[in-house]
Amino acid sequence: MTTIGLYLIAGAALVVSFIKNKDKTMLSLKKAWKSLENILPQFLTILVIIGIALAILTPEQISSLVGRESGWIGVLVAAFIGSVTLVPGFIAFPLASALLKNGAGYMQIAAFISTLMMVGIVTIPLEIKYFGKKAALIRNMEAFIFSLAVAYIMGVII
Amino acid sequence: MDKIIKVIKKYKIFLILLVINTVILIVKPSIGLKSFQLTKDNALEMLSILPPVFILLGLLDVWIKRETMIKFMGEKSGIIGVLLAFLLGSAAAGPLYAAFPVAAVLLKKGSKFSNVLIMIGAWSTTKIPLLLFEASSMGIKFMITRFILNIFGIAIIAYTVERFLSKEEIDKIYKNAALME
């Protein structure tokens, strides 16, 4: 759905740009290709890492680790799993609600979702390429700690 | 021949991982097969999202003048810059790693560093299409609580990361972004 929207927007922008200035449009396409090609190796590497990790970890295993009674250890485990995995949101939310039904706790699931979205250990090499080591490490560490705080507050409120 | 070696060097880690995955496939076919399947699914999804993102970035790079970006998202852009950064990140589609090239273009065009970090934060966790999805599968209360917490989290992370870095380190990030084509 969002993908189709993106293509429509990109297509429309490209047509407008082409009508206005052909050379500039060609230059922008050239730039687009160059920047895509520049990071493609990292992208592909990340994809294979995710594939291997998710093939080894099953939802049942995750659920047994982060049950309602697992407490802060479960929260930490969930936060860690969220940090190292990279699943798109539209897969993560149904997975999270399935985990909840299978006995996972709200705190643990909140930690998992939050780190899943904000912390990216497998994508750190890519982040470093753009932001340098220090900024990338600080951002990810802070996001991890923030996710634990989110988990705690969600556990209290919900 | 030189060209082939160059390509192989560039994709070295990717190729090594493919070999590892193949070894897994031989030793434990069920896991190896599943992992190849997951990689293929993710790759198809990624390859479908990336072209329009990069086309838009290319256009942005060519058409938006540096002065315009500085005016709306630069050092003196104030609350407008913050809101624009937040909206830009929230309206985006695609995983977090697709946000980094966008960040590079913003930096290159003179956007304020903390605004770029706010865009990254919003991109990572308050995407509008995902919020709707989150509400439907986790409940509206879960989504709203997390959304409100995230607004604070994004701001705190953006400003503290900026604080932790020295002026030279930030300059280096800008220079690096300018070199990223």
Side-chain angles (χ1 to χ4, degrees), chain A residues 55-113:
Chain A
I56 294 170
L57 280 171
T58 63
E60 296 79 43
Q61 284 170 319
I62 299 174
S63 182
S64 74
L65 286 170
V66 293
R68 253 183 288 271
E69 310 303 318
S70 60
W72 276 103
I73 296 191
V75 170
L76 282 174
V77 170
F80 180 74
I81 295 173
S83 303
V84 295
T85 46
L86 227 178
V87 266
F90 56 88
I91 295 175
F93 287 122
L95 174 70
S97 79
L99 289 176
L100 276 177
K101 284 184 196 109
N102 286 316
Y106 264 108
M107 251 169 95
Q108 290 79 7
I109 290 302
F112 170 69
I113 286 185

Side-chain angles (χ1 to χ4, degrees), chain B residues 123-135:
Chain B
W123 189 306
S124 72
T125 196
T126 57
K127 279 205 287 279
I128 294 159
L130 272 188
L131 289 179
L132 301 176
F133 212 82
E134 181 173 357

Side-chain angles (χ1 to χ4, degrees), chain A residues 11-43:
Chain A
L14 210 55
V15 169
V16 173
S17 168
F18 193 81
I19 292 169
K20 276 193 143 176
N21 189 328
K22 202 178 145 196
D23 293 339
K24 269 193 170 180
T25 310
M26 288 329 245
L27 181 67
S28 75
L29 282 176
K30 229 178 178 169
K31 285 195 173 201
W33 169 247
K34 257 177 104 182
S35 46
L36 179 61
E37 212 252 333
N38 190 20
I39 49 160
L40 203 57
Q42 267 101 341
F43 269 128

Side-chain angles (χ1 to χ4, degrees), chain A residues 2-3 6-7 9-11 13-14 16-18 20-21 24-25 27-29 31-59 86-94 96-97 100-101 106 109-110 113-114 117-120 123 126-132 134-135 138-140 142-143 146 149-151 153-154 157-158, chain B residues 10-11 13-14 17-18 20-21 24 30-32 34-36 38-39 42-63 93-98 100-101 103-104 107-108 113 116-117 120-121 123-127 129-131 133-134 137-138 141-143 145-146 149-154 156-158 160-161 164-166 169 173 176-177 180-181:
Chain A
T2 41
T3 316
L6 260 180
Y7 271 91
I9 295 168
L14 210 55
V16 173
S17 168
F18 193 81
K20 276 193 143 176
N21 189 328
K24 269 193 170 180
T25 310
L27 181 67
S28 75
L29 282 176
K31 285 195 173 201
W33 169 247
K34 257 177 104 182
S35 46
L36 179 61
E37 212 252 333
N38 190 20
I39 49 160
L40 203 57
Q42 267 101 341
F43 269 128
L44 292 172
T45 306
I46 289 163
L47 287 176
V48 185
I49 294 176
I50 302 165
I52 296 176
L54 283 183
I56 294 170
L57 280 171
T58 63
L86 227 178
V87 266
F90 56 88
I91 295 175
F93 287 122
S97 79
L100 276 177
K101 284 184 196 109
Y106 264 108
I109 290 302
I113 286 185
S114 192
M117 300 181 102
M118 299 181 88
V119 184
T123 51
L126 196 67
E127 196 168 342
I128 288 175
K129 206 170 165 190
Y130 285 99
F131 282 100
K134 197 171 165 191
I138 294 175
R139 191 196 71 77
N140 279 283
E142 283 192 29
F146 170 71
V150 168
I153 297 170
M154 299 288 274
I157 290 181
I158 295 182
Chain B
K10 212 173 153 191
Y11 289 84
I13 302 173
F14 169 65
L17 281 167
L18 276 189
I20 293 176
N21 205 341
I24 297 176
S30 60
I31 288 180
K34 201 175 153 200
S35 139
F36 267 120
L38 284 164
T39 305
N42 281 333
L44 287 179
E45 196 208 314
M46 181 196 93
L47 290 176
S48 71
I49 284 179
L50 288 184
V53 169
F54 276 89
I55 285 174
L56 285 171
L57 277 179
L59 290 171
L60 196 75
D61 197 0
V62 170
W63 285 104
L96 181 59
Y97 51 76
F100 302 136
L107 289 170
K108 199 167 138 186
F113 192 61
V116 174
L117 289 168
I120 294 272
W123 189 306
S124 72
T125 196
T126 57
K127 279 205 287 279
L130 272 188
L131 289 179
F133 212 82
E134 181 173 357
S137 56
M138 307 298 292
K141 199 174 167 192
F142 188 94
M143 184 278 271
T145 314
R146 222 175 62 80
L149 290 174
N150 278 332
I151 290 177
F152 291 105
I154 290 167
I156 293 168
I157 291 173
T160 51
V161 169
F164 273 123
L165 297 178
S166 67
E169 282 164 331
I173 294 170
N176 177 44
M180 286 260 178
E181 279 289 347

Side-chain angles (χ1 to χ4, degrees), chain B residues 62-170:
Chain B
V62 170
W63 285 104
I64 306 264
K65 284 201 203 86
R66 210 181 134 77
E67 297 77 48
T68 318
M69 180 70 87
I70 290 176
K71 189 175 157 208
F72 287 108
M73 288 180 80
E75 285 300 331
K76 294 195 181 83
S77 60
I79 188 76
I80 303 250
V82 174
L83 286 177
L84 267 179
F86 188 77
L87 282 178
L88 184 63
S90 298
L96 181 59
Y97 51 76
F100 302 136
V102 178
V105 174
L106 293 184
L107 289 170
K108 199 167 138 186
K109 294 277 171 184
S111 173
K112 194 178 174 189
F113 192 61
S114 60
N115 284 346
V116 174
L117 289 168
I118 285 171
M119 186 280 290
I120 294 272
W123 189 306
S124 72
T125 196
T126 57
K127 279 205 287 279
I128 294 159
L130 272 188
L131 289 179
L132 301 176
F133 212 82
E134 181 173 357
S136 70
S137 56
M138 307 298 292
I140 192 101
K141 199 174 167 192
F142 188 94
M143 184 278 271
I144 287 180
T145 314
R146 222 175 62 80
F147 180 74
I148 294 169
L149 290 174
N150 278 332
I151 290 177
F152 291 105
I154 290 167
I156 293 168
I157 291 173
Y159 290 113
T160 51
V161 169
E162 192 181 35
R163 265 290 173 82
F164 273 123
L165 297 178
S166 67
K167 193 160 177 332
E168 293 75 43
E169 282 164 331
I170 292 177

